[in-house]
Amino acid sequence: MTARNEDGGAAAPLDRARFEESYAGTPPWDIGRPRAEFVAVADRIVSPVLDAGCGTGEIALFLAARGHEVTGIDFVVQAVRRAREKAKKRGLSAEFLVKDALTLQGWGRRFATAIDSGLFHVFSDGDRRRYVEGLSAALEPVGRVFLACFSDEEPGTQGPRRISRRELEEAFAEGWAIESIEGVQFEVNEGTAYSPGGPKGWFAVFRRKA
């Protein structure tokens, strides 16, 4: 069966069961606060903001607390439900929708900034292209994408697909300017077996060309 978004659009066939199962408890990527990489660039973020793959909403709510207009989307119903509950408890205004990030191209809404904390690396090659095309459609000219993903420098196979710097450059080669791609290490929940200090990743900033 094909899932449907709240706005009526057909959702793309992804491995939903694995992500839905993760949210039965606390997923390893849900650390209960915004990731340091996004906090560090907060002054560069411009409203309105799209948080693609928002999970339980920590980054979106952090930005909402700073006065930003934020819309978070995720295809996992439980994640969106938790994000809405957090917003209500904290008295913050942020919109959270059950929506697939692969349907951005036909959405019709526009944003000045897009946040991607660990979404890009879950896609196949074909879905990756579709996602970036959707970001191009959803972002205003000179809008920015702030993106965090796993790096191919992280050993082993646990967790998501590893991404090389070249793959990032190629994915955003057409219609984008690469402002920066930096190696980082991500904080994850305890008990997850990655490199000491956390899994190695990339934190990249891309600007949509006018």
Side-chain angles (χ1 to χ4, degrees), residues 26-187:
T26 301
W29 57 84
D30 190 352
I31 60 173
R33 55 188 169 277
R35 296 198 174 279
E37 295 79 19
F38 294 96
V39 173
V41 298
D43 290 340
R44 299 175 61 189
I45 291 174
V46 179
S47 292
V49 181
L50 170 66
D51 186 350
C54 65
T56 64
E58 287 297 339
I59 297 173
L61 293 172
F62 163 71
L63 295 173
R66 292 175 62 91
H68 286 291
E69 176 187 347
V70 187
T71 299
I73 63 171
D74 204 294
F75 63 67
V76 180
V77 174
Q78 179 62 17
V80 172
R81 183 180 296 122
R82 291 184 190 177
R84 290 171 175 168
E85 290 172 353
K86 288 180 182 180
K88 184 176 181 180
K89 287 180 180 178
R90 299 177 193 182
L92 294 171
S93 178
E95 181 181 27
F96 293 103
L97 302 174
V98 179
K99 181 175 177 63
D100 197 308
L102 296 179
T103 65
L104 292 176
Q105 195 159 15
W107 194 10
R109 293 182 61 174
R110 301 294 289 273
F111 301 87
T113 304
I115 297 297
D116 177 335
S117 179
L119 179 62
F120 181 84
H121 59 210
V122 308
F123 293 131
S124 65
D125 290 349
D127 283 346
R128 184 188 297 175
R129 288 189 292 271
R130 183 179 172 190
Y131 174 57
V132 174
E133 288 171 357
L135 288 174
S136 295
L139 275 183
E140 299 169 355
V142 305
R144 287 184 171 90
V145 177
F146 295 87
L147 184 153
C149 68
F150 260 52
S151 165
D152 57 348
E153 295 181 2
E154 175 61 30
T157 59
Q158 179 178 338
R161 180 181 180 182
R162 275 52 169 169
I163 305 294
S164 70
R165 183 187 184 99
R166 181 176 179 180
E167 285 177 298
L168 282 173
E169 292 170 344
E170 291 177 347
F172 288 88
E174 186 174 346
W176 298 86
I178 301 172
E179 294 195 347
S180 61
I181 301 177
E182 301 176 354
V184 295
Q185 286 189 271
F186 300 126
E187 183 180 1

Side-chain angles (χ1 to χ4, degrees), residues 187-202:
E187 183 180 1
V188 294
N189 291 325
E190 292 183 7
T192 307
Y194 291 115
S195 295
K200 296 178 181 179
W202 301 110

